[in-house]
Amino acid sequence: MKLPRTSSPVRLRHRKSILIIFLAMGVSGCKQMHHGRHKHQVEPSTQSITTQPSATASTQPALAEQPASPEIVQQKTQAYMESLQHILAATQPAPQPQPSAPTPTPSPPPPAPTILQPEPSPPPPAVDVSVGAASPTTQSAGMNGATSSLTQHIDQQAHDQPRDITSQLDQQLLSFLRDQPVPDEAALSQLPANDRDVLSALMDGLSNYRDIVRSDPTATTTKKIQPLLDMSDRLHAAADLNIPTIALCSSVRGFGDFDTMPTDSLPAGQPIRAVIYCQVSNFASQLTSQMWTTKLTERLNLYSESNGKSVWNQSAKPITDQCKQRRHDFYCVEMIELPSNLAPGQYVLTATLEDQIANKLTQATLPISIK
């Protein structure tokens, strides 16, 4: 038998043990064959494997062993060969597993829908029946008392301060909540004219709006908010007259549509013909004979920036406009011709507008450079 070559210390020890066993068995077999009556006892090593259990007990006398036949020797040899194979298989390293293709992990099934159970409603709060707890009747009486105290305070403030706009505003709103007619012109009579006009417009708009939504809840939004739009027009008229835009133009086609001239380099020594465009806001309009009328006057002046003196002016001219619908945008134009004898220098052109209906005045300026 040819043993495999190895350099491991463990395999060398196994090989030596096996060789000793085989030598012992060979010697024992020969002795039994030639000296049948000699006794033989094999002491296995610490690493040998015994395949035949002992047949004698420690209390019985040892029986004379019979000479081993060739068949028995062959069986023992076969048993030792099998033991040797098991030992060699145990000492060899285990083969490394070959990497295999990853097994696709099946997606987990979708979780079962959670059925939400309705939460039990909390028990009603316990009613405190102890001494000192406020009953609903007591609370209602307290609220009524507080409301009565507040209304008395507002009425007293309006009576004591007839020229205070804050007190009069609170009084008018309280009358509105009481469903009383507003505005109360008698109560507002001692206010300044501007404050009186603003409060009257505000309360008229709220009162008219409430009347419409009460009488016709299904009315269109345009119809419902019309009182508020009218209120906005009245508030604009109560504001200060203003000229948000002034320009020196070569032509004007309409509201906000014009061509400007270069005011920083007007030619000297020749007349300058131009159009003054003024856009007006917060003007008043008056309804007469089914027509909305706007009345303004305009004055123009040119001042020298060096000495502040007027070098050219145009007297006031009336501007009257009539329209079947109330205007929200307004502008005025005026043709002018500046004289040719103006010396080169810096000038300031001023436009003064007066609202004849609202009795308000405003002014706007435009710098001009003549070279």
Side-chain angles (χ1 to χ4, degrees):
M1 177 180 179
K2 186 177 181 181
L3 297 177
R5 296 180 180 180
T6 178
S7 60
S8 173
V10 177
R11 293 185 180 180
L12 290 175
R13 288 197 299 269
H14 286 309
R15 187 172 64 178
K16 290 178 180 181
S17 301
I18 294 169
L19 290 175
I20 294 171
I21 293 171
F22 271 95
L23 290 176
M25 288 187 62
V27 173
S28 176
C30 294
K31 287 183 178 181
Q32 288 178 1
M33 292 176 62
H34 295 284
H35 306 283
R37 295 185 179 274
H38 291 179
K39 296 181 180 180
H40 171 71
Q41 184 176 1
V42 179
E43 296 182 0
S45 65
T46 58
Q47 295 183 2
S48 63
I49 301 175
T50 303
T51 58
Q52 297 293 334
S54 177
T56 60
S58 59
T59 57
Q60 296 181 357
L63 299 178
E65 295 183 2
Q66 298 296 328
S69 62
E71 292 78 4
I72 295 175
V73 173
Q74 184 177 1
Q75 291 177 0
K76 291 184 178 182
T77 304
Q78 184 66 26
Y80 282 111
M81 287 292 295
E82 294 177 357
S83 299
L84 178 62
Q85 292 178 358
H86 286 298
I87 293 172
L88 294 177
T91 57
Q92 291 181 356
Q96 297 294 331
Q98 297 294 330
S100 58
T103 304
T105 304
S107 59
T114 303
I115 301 177
L116 299 178
Q117 298 295 334
E119 297 182 358
S121 58
V127 179
D128 188 2
V129 295
S130 60
V131 177
S135 63
T137 304
T138 306
Q139 293 178 356
S140 177
M143 293 179 60
N144 292 334
T147 303
S148 177
S149 176
L150 177 61
T151 57
Q152 291 177 4
H153 174 73
I154 293 176
D155 292 336
Q156 188 64 37
Q157 287 287 336
H159 179 269
D160 296 341
Q161 302 177 9
R163 297 182 62 85
D164 180 33
I165 187 172
T166 303
S167 300
Q168 296 302 322
L169 172 61
D170 293 342
Q171 177 65 40
Q172 294 296 313
L173 291 175
L174 182 59
S175 299
F176 177 75
L177 294 177
R178 289 170 173 169
D179 212 3
Q180 297 174 354
V182 289
D184 185 357
E185 298 295 343
L188 302 178
S189 60
Q190 298 190 42
L191 286 176
N194 292 337
D195 293 342
R196 183 172 61 251
D197 292 341
V198 170
L199 274 184
S200 296
L202 176 63
M203 300 315 300
D204 271 336
L206 292 177
S207 180
N208 294 335
Y209 173 76
R210 184 172 64 180
D211 291 342
I212 288 180
V213 296
R214 278 181 175 177
S215 61
D216 189 6
T218 60
T220 62
T221 303
T222 303
K223 183 178 179 180
K224 290 179 181 178
I225 67 173
Q226 187 59 47
L228 303 180
L229 297 177
D230 295 339
M231 177 186 69
S232 176
D233 291 336
R234 291 180 61 182
L235 293 176
H236 276 293
D240 294 333
L241 189 66
N242 187 32
I243 303 176
T245 304
I246 181 173
L248 190 67
C249 307
S250 58
S251 63
V252 177
R253 290 174 292 274
F255 181 85
D257 185 9
F258 50 85
D259 298 324
T260 59
M261 295 176 63
T263 58
D264 57 345
S265 59
L266 294 176
Q270 62 183 26
I272 301 173
R273 297 179 178 87
V275 181
I276 301 296
Y277 172 89
C278 291
Q279 186 172 312
V280 188
S281 61
N282 302 331
F283 54 90
S285 298
Q286 189 176 18
L287 183 61
T288 57
S289 301
Q290 304 300 319
M291 299 291 288
W292 288 97
T293 303
T294 304
K295 292 182 178 181
L296 304 174
T297 59
E298 183 180 28
R299 295 193 306 270
L300 301 176
N301 284 277
L302 184 65
Y303 296 94
S304 174
E305 200 173 75
S306 60
N307 54 23
K309 293 183 178 181
S310 176
V311 296
W312 175 88
N313 66 80
Q314 182 171 289
S315 59
K317 289 186 176 181
I319 300 172
T320 302
D321 177 77
Q322 288 186 330
C323 185
K324 291 184 177 180
Q325 299 294 329
R326 189 169 189 168
R327 291 192 183 277
H328 299 90
D329 301 319
F330 192 83
Y331 73 99
C332 56
V333 294
E334 186 66 29
M335 296 288 298
I336 65 170
E337 181 176 340
L338 298 179
S340 59
N341 59 355
L342 293 176
Q346 303 296 322
Y347 298 86
V348 177
L349 177 66
T350 64
T352 304
L353 288 178
E354 183 178 359
D355 190 335
Q356 298 294 325
I357 296 176
N359 195 22
K360 294 183 292 187
L361 191 71
T362 189
Q363 189 176 79
T365 60
L366 179 67
I368 291 177
S369 178
I370 296 178
K371 297 182 179 180

